[in-house]
Amino acid sequence: MSANITIGQYVAGTSIVHRTDARVKLALVIAYAVALFLSTGWIGICICGALGALGYVAANIPAKLAVRSLKPVLFILLFTVALNAFTFNAGSGDGAPASTGTIALAGTFGISLQGVENGVFFALRIVFLIAATSLLTYTTPLIDIVDAVRSLLRPLTRLKVPVEDVAVVCALTIRFIPSTVEEAERIMKAQRARGLRFDEGSLLTRAKAWVPIITPLFINLFRRADTLACAMDARCYTGAARTHLSIARMRRSDSLAGALGVALLACVAVFL
């Protein structure tokens, strides 16, 4: 696995976060995401960030892993800030001074200080959410995550929801994220060896340069999906509930930690 690929990677450990029941961690991540997107002020977003940092400290996960998990979405973060920062109401365009809170660059085009603040706020939401989900995968084996999804969705079986199939899809998605990134890296290296350049020419030229990357990547993904489907069919996969060698049982401390965590995040979402 490439050193830059951390999404879906499990880091073995014996910390309190590693020992916490996977269902509790999954519920806390969901509550954390809700609190992030319902918080409308800086106090709420800072509390969420502090809670996420506390989780990494408690799990003994190096900060560099959290930073690496943000590399795939770095462009999205920059685009989010830029989209909110730039404005066409910076001035009148006739030499008049820019309006309060804006910096005129060319005519009415400029930078809004309030827009920069909003962009940073929205980008931090994305950063904290990715960090929280990465912490879940760092401290929880894939099979435990799948079992947690299956357990939390089990009540939906009364509504004829294929819970087993949903759990399998979640497992395959997490499992093949690193493989997909590795595949993209191999294709990029092969295309560079053939003389393809991604950092030369106009914006349109650079966008076209990605076509030889995306096309074979999607072809390989569909081929892999077809191979996987044939393998599952050959093994007579029917979506029936599978048995377990050991049954995960939630401890009282896990239940207490989950209840306190959800209550705290609910207060952040409602009041901050």
Side-chain angles (χ1 to χ4, degrees):
M1 182 178 293
S2 173
N4 293 326
I5 302 174
T6 61
I7 300 175
Q9 178 180 349
Y10 172 66
V11 180
T14 57
S15 69
I16 186 173
V17 180
H18 285 81
R19 297 194 306 268
T20 302
D21 191 277
R23 290 166 290 184
V24 173
K25 287 186 282 188
L26 184 59
L28 287 175
V29 169
I30 295 174
Y32 187 84
V34 173
L36 271 177
F37 286 93
L38 289 184
S39 298
T40 57
W42 281 101
I43 296 179
I45 205 76
C46 289
I47 291 177
C48 289
L51 291 175
L54 182 62
Y56 273 86
V57 172
N60 294 323
I61 300 296
K64 62 182 180 180
L65 286 181
V67 175
R68 286 180 185 175
S69 65
L70 299 176
K71 287 185 177 180
V73 297
L74 182 59
F75 174 78
I76 297 177
L77 298 177
L78 296 176
F79 181 75
T80 300
V81 176
L83 186 65
N84 287 273
F86 292 123
T87 178
F88 287 93
N89 296 319
S92 60
D94 54 2
S99 58
T100 304
T102 60
I103 301 174
L105 298 179
T108 60
F109 179 73
I111 298 177
S112 169
L113 300 182
Q114 181 63 42
V116 173
E117 181 180 345
N118 293 338
V120 172
F121 185 86
F122 296 143
L124 284 177
R125 278 180 171 173
I126 300 174
V127 169
F128 293 156
L129 179 60
I130 293 176
T133 53
S134 297
L135 180 61
L136 174 65
T137 60
Y138 291 152
T139 59
T140 313
L142 175 59
I143 190 63
D144 291 346
I145 296 178
V146 175
D147 289 341
V149 172
R150 181 184 294 108
S151 178
L152 294 177
L153 295 181
R154 187 166 294 140
L156 296 180
T157 55
R158 298 181 179 180
L159 302 177
K160 305 300 182 180
V161 175
V163 173
E164 292 295 328
D165 291 338
V166 172
V168 170
V169 169
C170 292
L172 293 177
T173 301
I174 298 174
R175 167 62 183 83
F176 284 109
I177 286 177
S179 301
T180 302
V181 177
E182 283 185 331
E183 185 99 26
E185 288 183 349
R186 283 196 296 267
I187 295 175
M188 290 179 65
K189 290 178 181 178
Q191 296 294 3
R192 284 197 181 101
R194 293 174 173 84
L196 185 64
R197 294 293 178 265
F198 303 96
D199 53 355
E200 297 178 357
S202 62
L203 183 61
L204 181 60
T205 302
R206 295 184 184 184
K208 289 181 179 180
W210 283 93
V211 175
I213 304 297
I214 297 176
T215 302
L217 179 61
F218 271 87
I219 292 175
N220 289 340
L221 288 177
F222 284 119
R223 183 181 294 125
R224 180 180 297 170
D226 183 65
T227 302
L228 180 62
C230 292
M232 295 175 69
D233 185 60
R235 289 166 174 79
C236 301
Y237 174 78
T238 60
R242 65 184 184 87
T243 58
H244 296 76
L245 179 62
S246 59
I247 305 298
R249 301 189 183 279
M250 191 176 301
R251 298 170 299 177
R252 181 176 300 178
S253 58
D254 293 334
S255 302
L256 181 60
L260 291 177
V262 171
L264 177 58
L265 292 169
C267 292
V268 172
V270 173
F271 300 109
L272 301 176

